[in-house]
Amino acid sequence: DAGVTQSPTHLIKTRGQHVTLRCSPISGHKSVSWYQQVLGQGPQFIFQYYEKEERGRGNFPDRFSARQFPNYSSELNVNALLLGDSALYLCASSLRAGGMNTEAFFGQGTRLTVV
Amino acid sequence: AQKITQTQPGMFVQEKEAVTLDCTYDTSDPSYGLFWYKQPSSGEMIFLIYQGSYDQQNATEGRYSLNFQKARKSANLVISASQLGDSAMYFCAMREVDQTGANNLFFGTGTRLTVIP
């Protein structure tokens, strides 16, 4: 079975541009979460989607948006890129939206560099 | 305030020895979950072990065990019989009850473990 797949794996963008990152969850998983991991830090929660609805949002500006499609895949969009948006963007899928012990399965991430 | 604190930026351990990676957490919620993840250089976060706040016994998964001290709010990861493949970043994370039902994780800053042959 395929794990969580993210595309592209690497990306270089210029300040002010827009970027779209994609994530396909594990088959049967309905929840997708996005995390930003800046170099030297732990991942920070950006969004969670479950059944195509936003279930949670972290402390990120409105330049960040996301959506989930009927097949449960998801896109993360970032507008007006800043140098500080350079990071590894991780997608995690899980069976359920909540549940204390719900295991999150992570993809290998998209490494975004803004120049 | 930081929800998860990992005070060891880097740790070294001799192959076949045991090592403890420290993690303290901060929450006022009685119900929470604690996780440890391994992140190799490839970037993927690999789940290692889970401990629920109401679990009476310390969690164990193969060579990984979690030393859960609730009163001290600590959840240290113990890796026994270290292997060269254990060299990676290790992150402690916590999940709290969220009103919306979101199951986001709060991560610490990580500990880089290096296993020496």
Side-chain angles (χ1 to χ4, degrees):
Chain A
D1 281 345
V4 179
T5 57
Q6 293 187 243
S7 62
T9 54
H10 294 82
L11 201 52
I12 299 175
K13 288 287 190 177
T14 305
R15 275 179 298 175
Q17 284 189 315
H18 162 92
V19 69
T20 298
L21 310 180
R22 295 178 175 82
C23 172
S24 292
I26 292 171
S27 178
H29 286 195
K30 298 180 179 180
S31 173
V32 170
S33 298
W34 287 95
Y35 291 81
Q36 180 197 64
Q37 186 178 15
V38 173
L39 193 64
Q41 299 292 320
Q44 270 199 296
F45 172 71
I46 310 175
F47 284 111
Q48 184 195 14
Y49 275 77
Y50 178 73
E51 291 279 18
K52 302 181 288 293
E53 290 189 1
E54 182 182 303
R55 295 297 295 270
R57 183 184 184 116
N59 188 24
F60 280 81
D62 291 343
R63 298 185 296 107
F64 289 77
S65 64
R67 55 179 176 168
Q68 187 176 32
F69 299 98
N71 65 353
Y72 302 111
S73 66
S74 177
E75 282 183 355
L76 175 69
N77 295 284
V78 187
N79 292 324
L81 284 167
L82 304 173
L83 295 179
D85 295 331
S86 295
L88 178 68
Y89 288 84
L90 293 163
C91 173
S93 80
S94 54
L95 273 172
R96 306 186 301 264
M100 203 53 61
N101 63 344
T102 298
E103 185 177 340
F105 296 83
F106 285 82
Q108 289 196 315
T110 293
R111 193 166 297 279
L112 172 66
T113 303
V114 182
V115 297
Chain B
Q2 290 291 329
K3 287 186 179 287
I4 296 288
T5 302
Q6 294 180 256
T7 57
Q8 306 156 314
M11 288 284 286
F12 291 87
V13 63
Q14 205 75 38
E15 193 178 4
K16 300 180 185 177
E17 297 293 313
V19 63
T20 298
L21 306 184
D22 295 342
C23 172
T24 57
Y25 58 92
D26 181 27
T27 181
S28 56
D29 198 320
S31 180
Y32 51 89
L34 296 160
F35 298 77
W36 276 92
Y37 282 87
K38 172 184 178 181
Q39 187 178 42
S41 56
S42 60
E44 183 180 358
M45 301 288 280
I46 302 168
F47 167 77
L48 296 178
I49 197 166
Y50 165 82
Q51 179 86 42
S53 59
Y54 295 117
D55 292 344
Q56 295 296 314
Q57 294 191 337
N58 287 342
T60 60
E61 290 283 351
R63 294 186 299 112
Y64 305 108
S65 60
L66 202 151
N67 184 2
F68 182 45
Q69 299 188 45
K70 196 170 182 176
R72 294 185 177 185
K73 292 188 176 179
S74 75
N76 298 338
L77 176 70
V78 180
I79 305 174
S80 62
S82 296
Q83 302 172 356
L84 295 178
D86 293 336
S87 293
M89 284 292 290
Y90 287 81
F91 289 94
C92 179
M94 179 173 66
R95 175 180 293 136
E96 296 175 309
V97 173
D98 185 289
Q99 291 177 348
T100 67
N103 63 346
N104 48 297
L105 293 162
F106 295 94
F107 286 85
T109 52
T111 296
R112 180 170 296 282
L113 177 66
T114 303
V115 180
I116 304 167

